Each structure stands twice: as structure tokens, then as C-alpha cells.
Amino acid sequence: MTDLPILLLNGPNLNTLGTRQPDVYGSDTLADVVTLAERAASDEGFGLRAFQTNHEGEMIDAIHAARGEVSAIVINPGGWTHTSVALADALVIPEVPIIEVHISNVHAREAFRHHSYISPIASGVIAGFGVDGYEFAVRRAAALAR
């Protein structure tokens, strides 16, 4: 197992997975997502740390604390994708690969969701594959971290 884990970050409202708009986000819960990501990370020889918050400052603090502590970051920034320059600025601080993941296809939704402040700094973006996108994101993060 690799010494430094992959960090899985989930932003606002993702704690309501399984109950919030199941027609858009499916019926899997955040706990299901974490289990899926842990399994993928383990298969790749990595540990996984997971964190979710609805508070932007807490997310930024978690990213700051990740510097030197993680090998890669997989992040679903939720609504902050489209609004937070501060989050984008924080994500460059750990100096590790970043994979942006979205459960829904944000490009097939409202126009305001088509822009991401995170994508320009991400190594890759996965959108529209439901929670299965997290598995691919973790596997890709592991490959980049090697």
C-alpha cells in the first residue's frame, strides 16, 4: 500500500445523496460512494480519506491540511464548481493530481452549470456516469499519483 492516501472530497448537499433528486443523482448514498471509492483505492494500492462539508471554509481548510499528506485529490465540488474561485485557488496548494467528478452530466443541465472554476486546474473531469464516476476518478488519480 502506498504511504499517502487519496483524498475524496464532497461539497455541499452531497450528504443528501440517496434522497435529493434521485432522478438526477440516483439512489446511492454518500456512504455508498465512500465504500465504492475505498474499494477502488485499495485495489490500486492506496488508502482513502473521505471528507464532506456544506461549509466552504471547512473545505478549504481540509485542502490546506492535505499538503504533503495525500497523493491525489478526487473532488465533487457540488455547487462550488460554478462559483468558487477560492476553492480553485486552494486546490493548487497541495501540488497533487486533482480529478473533478460530477454524478450528473453538468453540460446537459442548466447553463450556469456549464462553467467550472475547478476544471482548468484538474488533471481530468468525469461527469454524467452516476456514482460509478467516482470509481474511475479514484483509479485515474491512483495512476497519476504513481
Side-chain angles (χ1 to χ4, degrees):
M1 181 145 320
T2 305
D3 289 342
L4 296 178
I6 294 169
L7 179 60
L8 173 63
L9 299 173
N10 281 284
N13 302 310
L14 289 160
N15 58 306
T16 65
L17 286 177
T19 58
R20 175 186 174 218
Q21 296 177 277
D23 55 316
V24 174
Y25 300 106
S27 59
D28 290 303
T29 66
L30 184 58
D32 296 330
V33 167
V34 171
T35 297
L36 176 73
E38 286 172 337
R39 189 175 314 120
S42 178
D43 288 351
E44 298 293 332
F46 285 81
L48 184 104
R49 266 195 321 208
F51 179 71
Q52 185 281 327
T53 184
N54 295 313
H55 305 281
E56 189 174 17
E58 288 180 2
M59 180 67 75
I60 291 168
D61 288 344
I63 293 166
H64 290 176
R67 184 177 174 92
E69 300 295 322
V70 302
S71 58
I73 296 174
V74 172
I75 183 169
N76 183 338
W80 294 325
T81 303
H82 325 290
T83 63
S84 184
V85 172
L87 183 62
D89 285 348
L91 282 166
V92 301
I93 292 168
E95 298 178 334
V96 296
I98 306 291
I99 305 292
E100 178 183 354
V101 63
H102 298 282
I103 296 168
S104 68
N105 180 356
V106 292
H107 302 289
R109 297 184 62 195
E110 304 93 337
F112 75 87
R113 295 185 194 275
H114 299 178
H115 177 265
S116 169
Y117 284 102
I118 309 308
S119 295
I121 61 163
S123 300
V125 179
I126 300 162
F129 294 102
V131 298
D132 291 338
Y134 282 92
E135 179 179 1
F136 183 70
V138 168
R139 292 186 188 282
R140 190 65 197 132
L144 292 170
R146 283 194 189 90

